[in-house]
Amino acid sequence: MNRMLSSIKSFHELPDDMRMQYYRRDMSQGIAYSTNFDLYHSKAASWRDSLQVRLAPSPPKSKHVPAVCRDAVAEWDREVVKLGEEVMGMLCEGLGVKTDRLKDMSCLADRIMAGHYYPYCPQPELTVGLTWHTDPGVLTVVLQNEVTGLQVKCGQDWIDVKPVPGGLVINIGDMLQIISNDQYKSVEHRVVANPFHEPRVSIPVFFNPSMMGDLHGPLPELVSPNKPAVFRQFTHSDFMTRFFTKDFDGKSVTNYYRI
């Protein structure tokens, strides 16, 4: 965990010309360094930069991953997929379905990592680090350093998620809210702009179904005359397209598919 945080921080603190070798606004090469992937859709820019890496099912060639974080990213992926499988198994138990139900739906097979870097912001009251939103996928595993900034919405209040040394944050995503037929709720969260001179580093890994053309919706086992489906079916490709072409805020994607 410490190696991963250190390596992502080191990448973002490389000289500009070295970082700009990886700058692009699409993931066609499996890796992209940019600021605000929603820059052309959102109302305002956020105070952060990100290195995105597609971990699976078609990761970039090793030589295309920055040397400063290449080994750490590969090691983190091996460990985080084990954790993802364990957590998904427990969530399945909570729903009363087979423990490998989400795994069988390929929910471990599509993984994207984002190495976020939130530098010191001299006027944090004028912007944000990351606008409020929910994650679109099934599950997100978040590794963060000791600098605070992450907040979750509880009722009408925003609550600080204070970093715990050696701890990870697990977010329920929109896809799992739909699959669970509203039994699990995707978490609304945001990151405030960083007022500290030490940068904030966070590394979410997003777990998504890899079968983009398959229809998704509430699990049949969770639907009955007494508990009808509250979401309609859709393809994952349509779901993700809708997510990335909207303003990066709120729960509008789940609301769009709600019956």
Side-chain angles (χ1 to χ4, degrees):
M1 293 168 73
N2 290 336
R3 278 196 301 274
M4 187 61 185
L5 287 166
S6 177
S7 70
I8 293 300
K9 182 174 182 287
S10 295
F11 167 79
H12 284 285
E13 294 177 353
L14 289 172
D16 290 353
D17 59 335
M18 295 182 69
R19 281 182 285 119
M20 290 305 291
Q21 297 175 36
Y22 302 95
Y23 176 79
R24 58 186 60 87
R25 299 208 65 84
D26 65 75
M27 287 289 286
S28 58
Q29 296 187 30
I31 186 166
Y33 168 60
S34 66
T35 181
N36 291 248
F37 65 82
D38 60 335
L39 186 63
Y40 301 111
H41 304 293
S42 60
K43 298 178 178 67
S46 301
W47 203 267
R48 77 177 187 283
D49 291 332
S50 303
L51 177 69
Q52 290 183 272
V53 183
R54 184 189 302 118
L55 301 175
S58 51
K61 294 181 179 179
S62 178
K63 65 180 181 181
H64 292 156
V65 180
V68 71
C69 60
R70 184 179 301 152
D71 292 342
V73 168
E75 182 182 15
W76 186 240
D77 182 44
R78 288 193 295 270
E79 296 303 322
V80 82
V81 74
K82 298 175 189 175
L83 176 64
E85 182 172 0
E86 188 170 344
V87 172
M88 286 187 196
M90 290 188 287
L91 291 167
C92 286
E93 286 185 23
L95 293 173
V97 300
K98 294 190 304 179
T99 56
D100 56 358
R101 188 68 166 90
L102 291 173
K103 181 180 179 181
D104 291 345
M105 293 171 61
S106 78
C107 293
L108 287 163
D110 188 315
R111 302 184 300 282
I112 297 281
M113 184 209 85
H116 295 313
Y117 184 87
Y118 302 87
Y120 165 67
C121 180
Q123 294 179 287
E125 71 280 1
L126 298 182
T127 185
V128 295
L130 189 60
T131 55
W132 74 280
H133 65 286
T134 56
D135 295 337
V138 175
L139 201 69
T140 308
V141 176
V142 185
L143 171 64
Q144 58 181 341
N145 70 354
E146 72 281 359
V147 179
T148 60
L150 177 63
Q151 296 182 331
V152 297
K153 197 170 187 181
C154 185
Q156 297 302 310
D157 299 320
W158 288 101
I159 308 298
D160 291 327
V161 180
K162 295 181 180 179
V164 177
L168 295 164
V169 176
I170 308 293
N171 287 345
I172 299 294
D174 293 337
M175 182 67 76
L176 185 53
Q177 178 171 343
I178 293 171
I179 289 172
S180 72
N181 203 29
D182 238 10
Q183 292 191 50
Y184 292 133
K185 308 291 186 182
S186 58
V187 61
E188 296 176 64
H189 57 288
R190 68 182 184 183
V191 178
V192 297
N194 182 12
F196 307 107
H197 286 276
E198 178 68 19
R200 169 178 160 77
V201 177
S202 72
I203 307 167
V205 173
F206 305 95
F207 288 85
N208 302 288
S210 65
M211 301 174 184
M212 298 292 284
D214 287 6
L215 283 175
H216 295 281
L219 292 176
E221 305 97 302
L222 303 179
V223 176
S224 68
N226 294 328
K227 294 183 178 179
V230 296
F231 297 100
R232 57 190 173 87
Q233 291 189 318
F234 52 86
T235 63
H236 189 223
S237 57
D238 177 71
F239 182 87
M240 296 306 293
T241 298
R242 185 163 299 280
F243 177 82
F244 283 111
T245 53
K246 72 177 183 66
D247 284 350
F248 194 50
D249 59 6
K251 295 176 73 78
S252 61
V253 175
T254 48
N255 290 339
Y256 176 82
Y257 294 106
R258 189 176 291 276
I259 296 174

